[in-house]
Amino acid sequence: MKCYDIIEKLESLSPTAFAEEWDNVGLLAGRRDKEVKTVYIALDATDDVIREAVRLGADLLLTHHPLIFRKLGRVNTDDFIGRRVCELIRNDISYYAMHTNFDVMGMADAAADRLSLCDRQVLNVTYEGEGCGRVGKLTRRMSVAELAALVKEKFHVPNVRVFGDLGDIVETAAVMPGSGGSYIRDALNAGADVMITGDVDHHEGIDAVAQGMAVIDAGHYGIEKLFIPYMEAFINRELPALRIYKAEIREPFIVV
């Protein structure tokens, strides 16, 4: 199967038109006409991921976060991004990234599905009525402590950080995979009792609580790693002839 045929299928799921203007998505390196039999799925195109893709003989690397994000003035082995791009091209691996277009058309509902949010709405509309994050009703009223335990279970994270009173009762929840601090105002305006997201800093957290909303920080990787099983299921369903390899689910940091 040609790479461009796979791209067409990926973009039927998450059209590039839904990506933010500042983002960099799509085929970022390699040949569009590459014959693809094997796909390696990961959240990030790290050195370890690329080495493993090379070792396994992958034809296409598919990630959520784009390796090439800001404009490159040159591509050489003097810096880590250039080295990775060179390694991909040297091994004839095409590289495709689905970032904010997948956040809008894929990630947001997948995260809301994990929490069984009902009566859900888009948290932050970005394009044609769609957008990042979701807000909706939990399956029942519960304490912040109960919801924190549910988040740990559903997103398979070892721990979460909670801003707010664990005993408070919540019913309306916003979920924003990735870095959600800048969307706290959207969650407050939507009437959320609690927001589930990642990368919330000290001031964002305590300010949200001061305005009547708890925050559960499950980590950037903690929520967004659902990209890997989501895309595995999508490719198995839509492109069953392809062989899939995937990065190991592993937090990118160690808590000591």
Side-chain angles (χ1 to χ4, degrees):
M1 179 177 294
K2 295 295 186 180
C3 183
Y4 52 70
D5 292 321
I6 298 169
I7 290 172
E8 182 179 4
K9 187 63 70 172
L10 295 176
E11 293 181 0
S12 71
L13 169 68
S14 304
T16 57
F18 285 88
E20 298 278 7
E21 290 184 1
W22 48 260
D23 202 6
N24 191 28
V25 301
L27 185 65
L28 304 189
R31 296 190 290 123
R32 191 174 293 272
D33 64 349
K34 163 82 175 177
E35 185 68 28
V36 176
K37 296 181 179 179
T38 59
V39 179
Y40 191 99
I41 306 171
L43 195 68
D44 299 279
T46 63
D47 290 327
D48 287 344
V49 161
I50 292 173
R51 277 194 293 266
E52 187 69 358
V54 170
R55 186 185 72 81
L56 292 169
D59 300 307
L60 174 67
L61 173 60
L62 175 64
T63 71
H64 178 49
H65 297 133
L67 170 62
I68 304 170
F69 192 68
R70 296 175 179 85
K71 182 178 179 180
L72 295 178
R74 64 201 59 158
V75 178
N76 58 41
T77 58
D78 290 346
D79 67 89
F80 74 97
I81 293 177
R83 285 195 297 272
R84 292 175 186 176
V85 174
C86 288
E87 188 70 5
L88 288 166
I89 293 174
R90 181 185 302 118
N91 289 278
D92 196 19
I93 299 174
S94 294
Y95 170 51
Y96 191 90
M98 304 168 68
H99 191 210
T100 52
N101 54 322
F102 181 78
D103 285 339
V104 172
M105 305 299 288
M107 183 80 79
D109 279 319
D113 288 343
R114 293 279 182 102
L115 297 170
S116 300
L117 291 187
C118 56
D119 301 328
R120 69 182 68 163
Q121 298 178 356
V122 175
L123 183 62
N124 178 267
V125 175
T126 57
Y127 185 77
E128 293 188 350
E130 297 289 348
C132 299
R134 296 292 184 266
V135 59
K137 298 291 185 182
L138 297 165
T139 55
R140 62 177 178 84
R141 288 166 54 84
M142 63 181 72
S143 68
V144 172
E146 290 175 305
L147 180 57
L150 182 67
V151 168
K152 288 171 60 177
E153 174 193 349
K154 296 299 183 181
F155 291 104
H156 307 291
V157 292
N159 51 65
V160 296
R161 296 191 307 140
V162 178
F163 293 89
D165 191 326
L166 292 175
D168 283 351
I169 301 301
V170 293
E171 182 178 17
T172 301
V175 59
M176 173 63 75
S179 298
S182 61
Y183 299 93
I184 285 175
R185 173 51 52 191
D186 295 292
L188 286 165
N189 289 341
D193 303 313
V194 59
M195 183 179 189
I196 300 107
T197 187
D199 293 349
V200 175
D201 72 24
H202 171 78
H203 297 288
E204 292 167 338
I206 64 173
D207 289 352
V209 173
Q211 296 173 85
M213 185 179 74
V215 177
I216 298 175
D217 187 332
H220 195 127
Y221 181 86
I223 298 178
E224 288 200 331
K225 67 177 182 287
L226 64 80
F227 173 81
I228 297 172
Y230 186 105
M231 292 311 303
E232 179 186 23
F234 177 81
I235 292 172
N236 277 331
R237 183 175 64 252
E238 301 293 334
L239 300 162
L242 295 177
R243 182 171 184 178
I244 298 173
Y245 298 110
K246 55 186 179 179
E248 178 186 358
I249 300 295
R250 184 177 60 194
E251 295 285 345
F253 56 84
I254 300 170
V255 177
V256 296

